[in-house]
Amino acid sequence: MGKKIIKYIKKIFYCLAELMYSGDEQCVICKEYSEESDALCATCRKKLRFCTENFNIGHDQETYPVWSTFYYSNIVKELIIRLKYKSDFICGEILAKYMLELVKNNNLQFDLISYVPMTKKGLKIRGYNQGEYLAKYLSKFLNVPVVCSLIKTENTKDQIGLSGEERWSNMKECFKIKENEFVKNKNILLVDDVITTGATAFYCARRLKENGVNNIFILTIAKSNV
């Protein structure tokens, strides 16, 4: 019962937010008048830095392909922070729309969509998982089911400020797999917000592979060069 109530409350807040930002509104970034349907004005849209080529992340001679929609800078950074820490789902929808466009333009083919999990404690504090939000948005328009066979068992240090090796060490043992026959031999799109070294996405992908997933494609909002 409790979970259903929370779900309905979130739905109400989301609908209210959509109502507030419907029609001709201010740009969510610069607050200037905007006639654009995605709440981002033409001037701010021009400042978006698109990541035009996919790349691979690898460790221990194991690699996975990655597609990032943007580079992590300026406006994209602000949109992500608002989604991730301020429950701003209007910003989340702006980002999700561009991610959806990338999937379609690259004709990515997969059977299921998954996302990087949070610990129970982290989820309780924030109230939602931004990766899950993005995954469900994509699922809605691509008609592909969302599944999460991963569990984050440890509250790791924030990756910000850690060196490359520290990032890999920080993430190595914190993800576990929930046995799920449904994912075996399937192709999965793994969604995350920002990729830097790729340690988080890599270890999630590795656990999925260990559970019998066929191919894993990683999709993020942004790629960071930090």
Side-chain angles (χ1 to χ4, degrees):
M1 181 65 71
K3 290 183 178 180
K4 288 184 178 180
I5 293 174
I6 292 173
K7 181 178 180 181
Y8 289 138
I9 291 174
K10 287 182 178 179
K11 181 65 175 178
I12 290 170
F13 275 115
Y14 181 74
C15 290
L16 286 173
E18 283 191 318
L19 182 62
M20 289 172 61
Y21 284 91
S22 62
D24 296 341
E25 294 291 341
Q26 290 180 327
C27 172
V28 295
I29 296 296
C30 69
K31 304 305 179 184
E32 293 295 325
Y33 178 78
S34 173
E35 296 181 353
E36 304 299 334
S37 60
D38 65 357
L40 199 63
C41 72
T43 300
C44 288
R45 189 179 294 107
K46 288 179 182 178
K47 297 178 183 178
L48 297 172
R49 291 182 58 211
F50 289 92
C51 185
T52 56
E53 295 183 357
N54 69 299
F55 53 98
N56 293 321
I57 56 169
H59 197 64
D60 298 333
Q61 297 183 329
E62 185 177 343
T63 62
Y64 297 98
V66 183
W67 283 261
S68 290
T69 313
F70 305 103
Y71 288 105
Y72 187 64
S73 61
N74 302 323
I75 289 172
V76 171
K77 182 178 180 179
E78 178 66 23
L79 292 171
I80 292 173
I81 288 173
R82 290 191 191 183
L83 168 63
K84 195 170 180 177
Y85 300 112
K86 299 181 181 180
S87 306
D88 192 333
F89 296 109
I90 299 302
C91 290
E93 185 172 354
I94 292 171
L95 295 168
K97 284 180 178 179
Y98 281 107
M99 295 174 79
L100 177 64
E101 187 177 323
L102 183 151
V103 169
K104 290 181 176 180
N105 288 344
N106 287 274
N107 195 29
L108 300 182
Q109 301 293 320
F110 41 86
D111 308 301
L112 302 168
I113 303 173
S114 191
Y115 53 90
V116 174
M118 299 173 64
T119 61
K120 289 182 179 180
K121 181 180 179 181
L123 189 58
K124 184 177 181 180
I125 292 172
R126 187 174 298 171
Y128 61 96
N129 181 332
Q130 72 278 358
E132 181 180 10
Y133 166 83
L134 296 168
K136 288 183 176 179
Y137 184 96
L138 295 173
S139 172
K140 176 182 177 181
F141 291 96
L142 295 172
N143 196 29
V144 176
V146 174
V147 61
C148 190
S149 296
L150 296 164
I151 304 170
K152 189 175 182 182
T153 58
E154 299 180 20
N155 287 302
T156 52
K157 298 177 183 177
D158 195 317
Q159 294 283 75
I160 297 174
L162 298 181
S163 68
E165 281 304 314
E166 286 172 335
R167 286 171 180 261
W168 285 97
S169 178
N170 192 36
M171 288 292 158
K172 187 172 184 179
E173 301 297 337
C174 70
F175 296 108
K176 304 294 182 185
I177 196 77
K178 291 187 292 186
E179 291 297 327
N180 188 344
E181 293 294 325
F182 185 60
V183 303
K184 292 188 183 299
N185 299 314
K186 296 292 197 305
N187 297 320
I188 286 185
L189 182 74
L190 177 65
V191 176
D192 198 6
D193 48 20
V194 180
I195 191 164
T196 305
T197 61
T200 300
F202 175 87
Y203 284 118
C204 286
R206 172 177 279 185
R207 296 293 174 260
L208 289 170
K209 197 73 173 179
E210 290 172 350
N211 197 36
V213 171
N214 187 20
N215 293 304
I216 298 135
F217 313 104
I218 298 165
L219 173 66
T220 71
I221 300 171
K223 176 185 179 183
S224 172
N225 293 320
V226 178

